[in-house]
Amino acid sequence: MTGTALGTIALAATEELESPARRAWRRLMKRKGAVAGLIVIAIFALLAISAPLILPYDPIATSWSLVRKAPSMQHWFGTDDLGRDVLARVVFGARASLLAGLISVGIALTIGVPLGLLAGYRGGFIDALIGRITDAMLACPFLILAIALAAFLGPSLGNAMIAIGISATPVFIRLTRGQVMAVKVEDYVEAARAMGNPRWRIALFHILPNIMPALLVQATLSIAAAIIAEAALSFLGLGQQPPLPSWGSMLNAAQRFLTNAPWMAIWPGLAIFLVVLSFNLIGDGLRDALDPKAR
């Protein structure tokens, strides 16, 4: 037996002895794109958390003597149309965007996973009812539905999170239902049923843990979509309200000064691009890392 074959067998044996979480983490760390995404998200998160400690400027303090000043040593990203430091507003705006992404997806998971689990496991009339409601919500584009809900609830960051979370719920219902229907016919589920386990225990302790990888990947990708949706709602005046900073509202203010002060749009736009790209890279890496067939 060759050395390469022995090495392959040893690697396979090592993977079998590892816990699923440790094995997934090790595989994730081998994907450069996912690692880069994790680093970028970690940097933005640290900046957002420590912003009051590291930034010398107040993001809402105006100065008529500093209106639309180009980037300099004093203001690295320049100033906006009201003389506010753009760097401070971008960093503080990361709080709103990251919070909106996490909380919105948390709302979607909280509502969508139980409904999808119920529909997929019970079937029958319950499945048909939940399925028709899901189909009706999916018939409306995600962003249009979020805008309509946000306009109905009123302009604020909290209402924008709720609107985005509800709009993202049908995706998790559909995904959870499909995964449950595929898993509930597996031998270990049949064995648990034969041993007399109640339905709720089978659903929570035998089915749900085995569909979590797919839900985790979808949640990561949905965070990126939620950040874009929050920026769009803020751009339209339905999200974070001025003078509090938000990347979407910063782009809305910058659209009138693209020729004279392009830095007002470049930095918040670049921040949205980097964060959304990073979450997508992490999602792609998780999809590969959590694949049980991957080696």
Side-chain angles (χ1 to χ4, degrees):
M1 186 176 293
T2 64
T4 304
L6 288 173
T8 303
I9 294 174
L11 177 60
T14 302
E15 287 193 350
E16 292 298 330
L17 294 174
E18 286 181 324
S19 66
R22 186 180 181 86
R23 181 167 59 249
W25 177 257
R26 182 173 54 79
R27 291 176 179 175
L28 183 65
M29 290 298 99
K30 291 182 179 181
R31 286 156 177 82
K32 296 180 180 179
V35 173
L38 285 171
I39 293 173
V40 172
I41 296 301
I43 291 173
F44 272 94
L46 288 174
L47 288 175
I49 294 172
S50 60
L53 302 176
I54 62 176
L55 294 176
Y57 299 105
D58 187 339
I60 63 175
T62 61
S63 175
W64 298 113
S65 62
L66 296 173
V67 171
R68 297 197 301 276
K69 295 295 183 180
S72 62
M73 293 301 296
Q74 288 74 30
H75 300 277
W76 291 359
F77 287 5
T79 60
D80 64 5
D81 56 320
L82 296 178
R84 298 171 295 193
D85 184 71
V86 174
L87 174 59
R89 291 184 64 78
V90 168
V91 173
F92 275 90
R95 289 183 169 187
S97 294
L98 294 177
L99 196 63
L102 294 174
I103 293 181
S104 298
V105 173
I107 292 172
L109 284 169
T110 302
I111 300 173
V113 172
L115 290 177
L117 191 63
L118 179 63
Y121 189 66
R122 291 298 300 270
F125 172 76
I126 294 177
D127 183 21
L129 177 62
I130 295 176
R132 298 298 76 77
I133 296 175
T134 303
D135 292 339
M137 295 181 69
L138 288 172
C140 185
F142 165 72
L143 190 55
I144 300 300
L145 181 59
I147 292 173
L149 290 173
F152 173 77
L153 294 172
S156 72
L157 181 60
N159 289 339
M161 294 177 188
I162 295 173
I164 296 169
I166 294 175
S167 301
T169 297
V171 175
F172 288 96
I173 296 176
R174 180 68 62 84
L175 175 63
T176 304
R177 175 183 178 273
Q179 292 291 315
V180 170
M181 294 183 69
V183 169
K184 72 177 183 178
V185 297
E186 294 289 341
D187 292 340
Y188 60 85
V189 176
E190 294 294 339
R193 187 179 295 112
M195 292 176 65
N197 286 286
R199 289 182 175 180
W200 66 267
R201 184 177 181 84
I202 294 174
L204 293 180
F205 294 98
H206 296 276
I207 294 179
L208 183 59
N210 287 282
I211 67 173
M212 285 304 296
L215 295 176
L216 182 59
V217 172
Q218 182 59 47
T220 306
L221 299 174
S222 295
I223 291 175
I227 290 174
I228 294 177
E230 187 278 331
L233 292 177
S234 296
F235 184 88
L236 297 173
L238 298 173
Q240 181 88 289
Q241 295 300 294
L244 297 177
S246 171
W247 293 340
S249 60
M250 291 176 69
L251 289 174
N252 184 26
Q255 65 177 332
R256 295 169 294 171
F257 308 103
L258 292 178
T259 302
N260 299 327
W263 56 85
M264 289 177 56
I266 290 174
W267 299 116
L270 183 61
I272 294 173
F273 170 78
L274 288 175
V275 171
V276 171
L277 176 62
S278 297
F279 274 113
N280 281 313
L281 289 174
I282 295 171
D284 290 340
L286 282 174
R287 182 168 50 201
D288 296 335
L290 295 173
D291 184 1
K293 300 178 182 179
R295 289 294 181 189

